Amino acid sequence: MESKVEQERLQRIQTIYSQTSPLPPAERKAFLDRACAGNESVRSEVESLLACDSEAETFLDKPAMRFAAESLAAEGAGLLTGRMLGRYQLLGLAGRGGMGDVYCSVDPHLNRLVAVKILPAYLAGDPERFRRFQEEARAIAAMSHPHICILHDAGNDGDTHYLVFEYLVGEALSDRLAQGPLPLTDALRYLIQIAEALEHAHQQAIVHHDLKPQNIMLTRSGVKVLDFGMSGAGTPAYLAPEQTEGRPTDARTDIFAFGLLAREMTAGAAPPALQDVIARSLARQPEERWQSISDVLEILRRI
C-alpha cells in the first residue's frame, strides 16, 4: 500500500503537471522553477509527463478510421485517468490505436513512470484481437535488447488486460522524417541499431510484421523498436508483397520493410553500397532479398 507521503507526492506531481501543460513552452521553465521549489525529483516527473504529451502515438499504431470510430463511440473511453489498474496509477491517456489505449502511469513500488497499454473491455470479447494481444506480450517478454522497448509487466484487473512498458522520452522517427531526410551518418547509425534489434528478434523466430517509422523511437540512448509480435498485421504502406497477397511470411518480410525505411531515411542520398542494400531488400520475391538481417547488418557496419 502506498504511504501517505508517496500519495501526497504523486498528487503534487499531477497538480503541477495539470497547471503547466496549458502554458506555452516558453513560460514553462519559469513556472516549474516556482512550482517545484528546487525539488528536482518532482520536476523530473512533471517534465516526463509533459514530454508524454508530444509522444502519444509512439507506443501505438496510428488508429485506422474504423477503430477511431469505435473508440469515440465506446462508452467511457479514456475515463480511466486517475484510477488504479493493478498497482499502476493511470495519470493520463497518452495515445490510442488498434491494439489498445496507452496511459502514462506511475509504478509506486519502483517510483517510476511507465506506459500501460490496455486492451479495452469492449474488445476483450474478440478472440482474434485478444489472441494478438497475448501474443504481443509473449513475443516482447522473450526479448531483452537495448534497442527494443522493454516489457516490464503484464496482467489483468477484472476484465481489463494490460501490458506495462518502459516509459520512453524522445521523438518518433516518423516525426523526425516529417522534417526531411536524415544526415547520412545519423541514418546509418539508426539503421544499424534497428537491424540489431531485428537480428535479436529473428534469432528467436520473432518477426515484427509492422516495421515503420511510427514504431521506432529516437531516444537519448539510441533507437527503440516498438510493437513486436503483431501476428501478421501491418500498415499498408510498409507491407511486403507476400503480406498483401496473403502468402506465408518470415524474417525476410521485415527485411522488405527495413528497405523501405532505409530508402525513406536517406531519400536516395546514399553511397552506392547502401543503395545496393536497399534495392536487394526491396525485391518482390522473398528468395531474391537478403536472406538474413545479419547479412545486411554486416554491410551497414562496413559502410
Side-chain angles (χ1 to χ4, degrees):
M1 182 177 293
E2 298 174 30
S3 69
K4 182 178 180 180
V5 171
E6 182 61 20
Q7 290 176 344
E8 291 175 349
R9 178 179 177 277
L10 293 175
Q11 182 59 50
R12 184 182 180 194
I13 289 170
Q14 291 184 65
T15 299
I16 296 174
Y17 164 71
S18 64
Q19 293 171 338
T20 309
S21 182
L23 297 176
E27 298 178 13
R28 289 178 176 179
K29 182 181 183 301
F31 179 83
L32 289 175
D33 288 342
R34 297 190 302 272
C36 296
N39 189 324
E40 291 303 316
S41 174
V42 168
R43 182 173 188 145
S44 177
E45 297 281 19
V46 173
E47 288 177 339
S48 293
L49 287 172
L50 293 171
C52 176
D53 290 343
S54 62
E55 303 302 338
E57 71 178 17
T58 61
F59 297 99
L60 296 169
D61 298 336
K62 283 188 175 179
M65 290 301 293
R66 181 171 62 85
F67 181 80
E70 292 174 354
S71 297
L72 292 172
E75 182 178 356
L79 295 183
L80 293 178
T81 296
R83 293 167 58 179
M84 300 296 294
L85 190 65
R87 75 172 193 248
Y88 303 100
Q89 183 176 17
L90 308 183
L91 300 180
L93 183 65
R96 175 165 289 157
M99 287 301 292
D101 295 344
V102 168
Y103 285 80
C104 291
S105 309
V106 170
D107 179 351
H109 288 193
L110 298 176
N111 192 28
R112 66 182 176 189
L113 289 173
V114 293
V116 176
K117 184 173 185 177
I118 299 170
L119 183 67
Y122 71 92
L123 295 181
D126 185 324
E128 176 60 18
R129 288 188 177 180
F130 186 58
R131 181 185 67 80
R132 287 174 55 195
F133 186 81
Q134 290 179 308
E135 185 163 335
E136 180 184 6
R138 288 193 294 268
I140 300 174
M143 297 186 289
S144 177
H145 191 275
H147 297 306
I148 295 175
C149 185
I150 297 171
L151 174 63
H152 290 310
D153 193 11
N156 68 285
D157 189 333
D159 293 333
T160 303
H161 297 262
Y162 59 87
L163 302 175
V164 182
F165 293 94
E166 66 176 312
Y167 180 78
L168 299 177
V169 176
E171 180 180 33
L173 178 59
S174 55
D175 292 336
R176 174 59 186 84
L177 289 174
Q179 303 169 30
L182 299 168
L184 183 58
T185 53
D186 289 346
L188 281 170
R189 183 172 73 254
Y190 296 148
L191 286 169
I192 287 171
Q193 293 175 358
I194 295 166
E196 288 173 343
L198 291 176
E199 181 182 53
H200 178 75
H202 293 174
Q203 287 171 349
Q204 300 179 66
I206 296 171
V207 180
H208 193 292
H209 283 124
D210 195 23
L211 191 66
K212 59 184 179 181
Q214 292 89 339
N215 279 338
I216 297 168
M217 186 82 157
L218 309 179
T219 74
R220 290 181 180 178
S221 61
V223 160
K224 290 281 188 176
V225 181
L226 317 176
D227 278 350
F228 275 89
M230 300 300 288
S231 305
T235 301
Y238 293 90
L239 292 181
E242 59 269 25
Q243 287 176 289
T244 61
E245 296 167 5
R247 293 187 277 133
T249 60
D250 56 28
R252 296 170 297 182
T253 301
D254 283 348
I255 292 176
F256 184 90
F258 182 86
L260 291 174
L261 275 178
R263 186 174 66 183
E264 188 172 358
M265 290 166 69
T266 59
L274 183 53
Q275 292 180 11
D276 290 343
V277 167
I278 294 171
R280 186 170 172 184
S281 298
L282 295 177
R284 182 170 182 80
Q285 299 304 324
E287 57 271 17
E288 297 174 359
R289 294 177 208 147
W290 301 99
Q291 298 301 289
S292 169
I293 195 66
S294 298
D295 296 334
V296 176
L297 187 53
E298 181 180 349
I299 296 174
L300 291 177
R301 286 171 174 159
R302 289 206 300 265
I303 296 174

